Amino acid sequence: MTLQDILSNEELRRHEFPVTKDKIFLAHAAVCPLPRRVSEAVAHYAMNACTDDQETGMLEGFMSDSRRAAAQLLNCKSEEIAFVGPTSLGLSFMAAGLPIRKRDNILICFDDYPSNVYPWMKLAERGVEVRLMNMKHWGHLRSVDIMGQVDENTRAVVMASCHFVTGYRLEIEKVGRYLRERGIIFGIDGIQTLGAFPTTVEFVDFLAADAHKWLLGPCAAGVLYVRRELISKIEPPVYGWHNVRCPNFVAQEQIVLREDARRFEAGSHSLLSIVGLRAAMELALEIGPDSIGRELLRKRSWLVPALQERGYTVLNADAKAENASGIVTIFKPGADMGALHAKLTENKVVASLRVDRAGQRYIRFSPHYYNTDAELQRAVELL
Ligand SMILES: Cc1ncc(COP(=O)(O)O)c(C=O)c1O
């Protein structure tokens, strides 16, 4: 199935993406609806699991194939992939276990999503200097600002691949190359681009991303990537039968951890969610991250001027292609954004309402590749 197939065949689109039957869903930066394939994969597994224990009916190689699919999406090795659940958990594991010492500093963005702020803030209790990045414009993760705010004591920089409100997309490779040359660990919260834009990790040391947004997978079915060379240097904050050697399930006197990214998977896997994640990753690979990214930018290039013509201010409106994303966020001084959001909801257009520290409310649109131009047009008309 190609993007073109979906956008040129309404019957197919409605079949594959059942949400399109009665809603215009433009909130993929929040929590996505499941495509039929993903939903059916989970249902099928759940039915099979009624007839035996939940693992026995599983296809042989299921976990290794799932790791391979994640590795293909991220362009890394299967052994660098762990399935530990939500983004917050993956990032917390990294923050708790990274070799960061007293008086080192780390650079984060205070206005990133809290999942990528709190685990790092907590390090201040260990004497680590937690630097909050200065931004020229709110929510703009500019490479120049990041690169200009590290020094010889910076141990790690951890950023979102795309800001969840402004939609400013980070230039991962550019920043990553700069940091790698200086031996600084580079971590990414990848949830706002995985499944939307190519999100590859050649110059990244770790990345956590759940599936429930652009990847069109279940909640808490996340991927954690950790660069091979770093795995053994990170002390996992969790221990169990799966990540510590225990022949025949007999506890040993020594704790011997696995050497690959399974080091961070302490116990049983959430098979139900990984089945859904796998189906979602296969769908994203079938459509192709490059095509998806191009299509999201095409939609944005229509949506931004259409909203501006109606008097709305669009955040990050003038972004270069490499800093633009599928997130289009608007406000209008003096307008009741809450009421406008309610109007959209009443008319079965799903968008998100977000607020900044000063209390300004915004409507955030985050259409995916399967949304049509007519759907976007309808949303704009309602505004
Ligand atoms: C940038 C970002 N990170 C993380 C999350 C969610 O994290 P989790 O997967 O832990 O629920 C969100 C959700 O809105 C987000 O926008």
Side-chain angles (χ1 to χ4, degrees):
M1 187 170 67
T2 65
L3 188 52
Q4 199 47 37
D5 295 337
I6 297 163
L7 293 178
S8 62
N9 180 344
E10 186 60 10
E11 205 180 319
L12 176 72
R13 191 176 85 96
R14 291 189 178 203
H15 177 80
E16 295 285 340
F17 303 96
V19 69
T20 57
K21 281 185 197 148
D22 63 10
K23 279 194 182 106
I24 298 179
F25 191 89
L26 307 176
H28 297 89
V31 179
C32 70
L34 296 180
R36 181 181 300 277
R37 292 180 186 196
V38 175
S39 171
E40 282 183 355
V42 175
H44 181 74
Y45 166 72
M47 278 316 290
N48 279 351
C50 296
T51 56
D52 206 335
D53 79 67
Q54 299 172 54
E55 275 176 338
T56 302
M58 214 61 196
L59 287 178
E60 202 175 328
F62 169 78
M63 286 306 295
S64 49
D65 289 348
S66 304
R67 281 183 222 279
R68 241 191 313 279
Q72 199 182 333
L73 258 185
L74 291 167
N75 200 17
C76 65
K77 304 185 199 92
S78 300
E79 69 209 56
E80 296 175 313
I81 297 292
F83 295 119
V84 298
T87 321
S88 309
L89 209 57
L91 294 171
S92 292
F93 280 10
M94 295 299 103
L98 277 178
I100 300 182
R101 296 166 308 239
K102 227 175 167 169
R103 286 188 281 279
D104 282 345
N105 69 63
I106 56 169
L107 182 68
I108 63 165
C109 169
F110 193 45
D111 285 319
D112 255 351
Y113 198 74
S115 306
N116 196 27
V117 176
Y118 295 147
W120 308 106
M121 265 170 65
K122 192 74 187 141
L123 292 182
E125 290 170 12
R126 285 172 26 196
V128 174
E129 180 201 340
V130 182
R131 286 192 179 170
L132 308 178
M133 176 186 159
N134 283 317
M135 288 179 279
K136 187 161 181 221
H137 304 289
W138 175 68
H140 286 207
L141 308 170
R142 299 192 320 157
S143 311
V144 51
D145 293 337
I146 298 171
M147 297 183 318
Q149 291 174 49
V150 298
D151 60 24
E152 63 283 2
N153 293 322
T154 306
R155 188 78 177 124
V157 170
V158 195
M159 295 283 148
S161 56
C162 170
H163 191 267
F164 74 110
V165 182
T166 65
Y168 189 101
R169 189 152 56 95
L170 178 72
E171 288 168 77
I172 298 180
E173 186 176 330
K174 184 172 174 182
V175 175
R177 276 181 194 274
Y178 182 88
L179 298 178
R180 177 82 42 97
E181 277 165 18
R182 285 155 183 79
I184 298 172
I185 294 168
F186 186 31
I188 293 286
D189 169 350
I191 195 170
Q192 288 293 3
T193 57
L194 193 63
F197 288 89
T199 304
T200 56
V201 291
E202 293 85 334
F203 296 95
V204 174
D205 293 294
F206 63 86
L207 175 147
D210 201 1
H212 67 265
K213 299 186 189 289
W214 302 93
L215 197 52
L216 303 175
C219 289
V223 174
L224 172 66
Y225 149 83
V226 188
R227 187 156 76 94
R228 190 72 190 88
E229 293 72 15
L230 198 63
I231 293 174
S232 61
K233 302 194 175 90
I234 305 179
E235 198 54 42
V238 287
Y239 295 86
W241 67 268
H242 185 261
N243 63 343
V244 182
R245 203 177 81 85
C246 56
N248 302 315
F249 309 112
V250 176
Q252 306 291 294
E253 284 173 17
Q254 305 292 331
I255 292 198
V256 180
L257 286 157
R258 286 195 193 259
E259 287 176 359
D260 57 24
R262 289 177 296 173
R263 180 179 175 92
F264 305 104
E265 298 171 348
S268 297
H269 292 106
S270 173
L271 290 173
L272 260 174
S273 33
I274 297 173
V275 166
L277 166 65
R278 164 95 178 271
M281 292 190 295
E282 282 173 352
L283 178 59
L285 287 166
E286 185 176 329
I287 307 293
D290 284 316
S291 315
I292 298 172
R294 268 196 306 276
E295 176 62 11
L296 296 187
L297 292 185
R298 190 192 67 78
K299 286 176 166 48
R300 178 191 152 89
S301 67
W302 178 84
L303 197 50
V304 170
L307 291 163
Q308 286 173 325
E309 273 164 30
R310 280 165 174 75
Y312 290 94
T313 301
V314 179
L315 301 185
N316 193 26
D318 302 326
K320 293 181 287 170
E322 54 270 35
N323 303 124
S325 69
I327 293 177
V328 176
T329 300
I330 56 166
F331 74 102
K332 192 190 270 186
D336 182 345
M337 298 311 286
L340 280 166
H341 181 258
K343 181 178 175 192
L344 291 172
T345 310
E346 277 158 30
N347 286 278
K348 298 195 168 187
V349 174
V350 185
S352 316
L353 193 60
R354 289 291 176 271
V355 188
D356 65 19
R357 281 183 202 282
Q360 173 64 52
R361 298 169 110 192
Y362 304 93
I363 292 177
R364 179 182 68 184
F365 292 109
S366 45
H368 216 324
Y369 61 81
Y370 65 87
N371 289 117
T372 61
D373 292 357
E375 287 182 320
L376 299 186
Q377 182 90 49
R378 171 77 184 131
V380 172
E381 276 163 17
L382 285 167
L383 294 169

